[in-house]
């Protein structure tokens, strides 16, 4: 909007405030967190979907029933909040402490199966220095991803600029497949969730 100097002066003297048009920012959608919802009280182990991780291994969630599971949903092309979410999951994993965390499985599931192939996820894991035992950067069918998100209370939406708005949520799953704890939001304290995981593991030790 262009205004001549005399017109601007007259508007200012009359008390009218001129508001400049808002600027478009390419990554705005990455900052729009969606609220986490209440999750159904059902075991995730009832889900029959098959997943493929960044190593090319296939599995079902029930295959991890002997371990506490940390689940975080993200997508690889997100350069703002998702790296923080993955870092928060890493902080939780490390907070559990050695040697107990060796019994924990971390499942990072993409919202974007079209782009996040197992090969792409492998590169992501290496980049994040998380190509380690116990971590599974994983993809599945769109229906499986939507079903898992619903079970966790994670909202997500594919936007017109090929990005995703989503809840920023980390879930702790117990050995029966039930959600035992959640960390909602970025940069949150992980001590309580880590304690929950340690207590699970201690109860599993004969």
């Amino acid at each position: 909007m262009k205004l001549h100097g005399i017109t601007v002066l007259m508007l200012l003297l009359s008390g009218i405030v001129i508001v400049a048009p808002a600027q478009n920012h390419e990554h705005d959608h990455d900052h729009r967190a969606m609220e986490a919802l209440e999750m159904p009280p059902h075991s995730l182990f009832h889900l029959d979907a098959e997943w493929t991780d960044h190593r090319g291994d296939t599995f079902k969630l029930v295959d991890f029933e002997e371990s506490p599971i940390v689940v975080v949903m993200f997508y690889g092309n997100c350069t703002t909040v998702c790296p923080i979410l993955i870092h928060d999951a890493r902080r939780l994993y490390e907070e559990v402490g050695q040697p107990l965390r060796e019994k924990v499985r971390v499942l990072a599931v993409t919202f974007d199966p079209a782009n996040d192939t197992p090969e792409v996820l492998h590169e992501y894991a290496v980049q994040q220095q998380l190509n380690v035992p116990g971590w599974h950067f994983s993809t599945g069918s769109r229906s499986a991803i939507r079903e898992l998100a619903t079970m966790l209370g994670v909202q997500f939406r594919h936007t017109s600029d090929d990005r995703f708005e989503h809840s920023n949520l980390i879930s702790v799953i117990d050995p029966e497949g039930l959600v035992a704890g959640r960390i909602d939001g970025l940069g949150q304290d992980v001590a309580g969730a880590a304690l929950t995981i340690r207590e699970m593991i201690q109860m599993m030790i004969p």
Side-chain angles (χ1 to χ4, degrees), residues 3-131:
L3 297 173
H4 295 293
I6 294 176
T7 306
V8 173
L9 179 60
M10 292 176 64
L11 290 171
L12 290 173
L13 290 174
S14 65
I16 297 175
V17 178
I18 305 171
V19 180
Q23 299 295 314
N24 284 327
H25 296 285
E26 182 181 357
H27 302 301
D28 274 354
H29 289 300
D30 285 340
H31 298 284
R32 298 176 186 173
M34 301 180 75
E35 181 182 0
L37 302 175
E38 293 297 321
M39 59 281 180
H42 303 299
S43 171
L44 268 65
F45 296 157
H46 293 158
L47 302 180
D48 198 42
E50 190 171 83
W51 305 89
T52 303
D53 71 10
H54 69 283
R55 300 178 186 90
D57 296 331
T58 58
F59 63 92
K60 295 182 178 181
L61 294 181
V62 71
D63 294 337
F64 296 155
E65 64 180 340
E66 299 300 323
S67 304
I69 311 170
V70 174
V71 184
V72 57
M73 302 190 76
F74 79 112
Y75 69 105
N77 284 333
C78 173
T79 58
T80 52
V81 300
C82 292
I84 300 173
L85 264 176
I86 296 299
H87 178 68
D88 287 347
R90 181 175 188 161
R91 287 196 298 118
L92 172 56
Y93 178 73
E94 292 177 348
E95 182 74 15
V96 173
Q98 288 282 21
L100 295 183
R101 70 170 175 242
E102 296 177 0
K103 299 182 180 296
V104 178
R105 298 291 175 264
V106 183
L107 183 60
V109 176
T110 181
F111 294 116
D112 189 13
N115 292 306
D116 289 340
T117 62
E119 294 78 15
V120 170
L121 291 172
H122 186 272
E123 292 179 8
Y124 190 92
V126 171
Q127 182 184 46
Q128 297 293 324
Q129 299 182 341
L130 287 171
N131 184 25

Side-chain angles (χ1 to χ4, degrees), residues 1 17 20 53 71 73 75 97 105 116 119 136 147 154 158 171 173 178 180 182 191 201 204:
M1 177 173 63
V17 178
D53 71 10
V71 184
M73 302 190 76
Y75 69 105
R105 298 291 175 264
D116 289 340
E119 294 78 15
H136 304 267
E147 186 177 37
V154 173
H158 196 184
S171 301
I173 312 303
L178 300 173
R182 304 201 297 178
I201 297 172
M204 295 167 59

